[in-house]
Amino acid sequence: MTAHVITDEAEALAVAAALAEEFRAGAAERDAERRLPRAELDRLSASGLLAVTVPAEYGGADVSALTLAEIFRLLGSADASLAQIPQSHFVYVNVIRRQGTEEQRKFFFAELLTGGRLGNAQSEAGTKHVQDIRTRLERTTDGSYVLRGIKHYSTGALFADWIPVLARAEDGNLHVAYVPRDAPGLTVVDDWDGMGQRTTASGTVRLDGVPVPADRVLPHHLTFQGPQLHGAVAQLLHAAIDVGIAGAALAEAAEFVRTKSRPWFESGAETATEDPLLIQRFGELALQVRTSEALLREGARAVDAAGARLTDESAAEASIAVAAAKVRAAEAAVAVAGALFEVSGTRSALNSLNLHRYWRDARTHTLHDPPRWKIQHIGRYVLSGTLPPRHGLL
């Protein structure tokens, strides 16, 4: 594939805004029909957006976390499923930046600049907990590796050129193996059956003796041995998607009330937009959206500040700021998407309108990790100065 190369942050935001408008037009139909967004992802790749975090010395725009979060907010406001697909792409680009050798960086960054997509084969089902990774990376006599295991919730894998696979080596350490989508022994099954984010194709990846050259394996366990922003960036993008859903649901509700809703007879109003109780409710919902947007920007700025001077303390501050953004974003997405029906009235519940996709997407996406644990870490940090743990979920 040939892709445009984005050169700066302003261009990245302009491209993201234009694509969001384009993707918004067919989002309801894609969701209703569970029509996978292959053409839209090709547009995303060709636009150059998937390479915007490639470092400048390798030819990329190297955009800030603030810009990347805004890109995801824009895409999430248009189609939360479509926005979710490249989330893991950027997470595993960061692994290459932090743990890749010079040759690995040159190779993969060149792939990204020509439109290459990274998927993920990370989560597993039926294990003790989310960090219990049982997929194995076995070394062979010639120094290469073989992958064996089963992955679930593998968002982006079906559409990827490369699938980063999280696996444990024989010493128990976590590594990421970057495997071509068409590698022998690798099967991607489109069996995702979620009520929301229906077109992410977050299905199963089977790894039956998949061969992996040694130069396609990165030592991911080293990521967490010092101060790091891996988890903060990953969670920031999740938060941005939730903020996008909340904003889109509010805009959809306002448009519905302006054009379709009737005033409640007791209000004495001529139109629904003049109903004082609806006005009050929209003000409350707008505050939730604005608060989530502000915390998202604050979290992104904290990540950028920590990236400029990475220490245990700056990394912790970034993680806490992003945790706060993620908690509020999740609350706003679910609440505002649910309130859409409350303020719009009975007609908004018609299945043919598919307005419930906002709530289904919000409720499904916010299940990635529990906000209650983020609140615990925020409380410990404020009360006793306890630095949050180093892992990919904070």
Side-chain angles (χ1 to χ4, degrees), residues 172-257:
N173 286 325
L174 278 177
H175 291 69
V176 179
Y178 289 73
V179 182
R181 168 68 177 80
D182 59 357
L186 187 152
T187 305
V188 182
V189 184
D190 179 20
D191 58 359
W192 170 240
D193 191 32
M195 68 172 182
Q197 294 202 300
R198 298 184 67 230
T199 60
T200 59
S202 302
T204 301
V205 171
R206 299 183 183 278
L207 305 152
D208 299 314
V210 178
V212 185
D215 62 356
R216 296 292 177 263
V217 176
L218 280 71
H220 191 36
H221 63 284
L222 298 180
T223 300
F224 306 102
Q225 290 188 2
Q228 50 83 34
L229 298 171
H230 178 84
V233 171
Q235 292 296 301
L236 183 72
L237 302 187
H238 280 310
I241 294 169
D242 291 338
V243 173
I245 294 171
L250 182 62
E252 190 86 65
E255 178 65 15
F256 195 97
V257 169

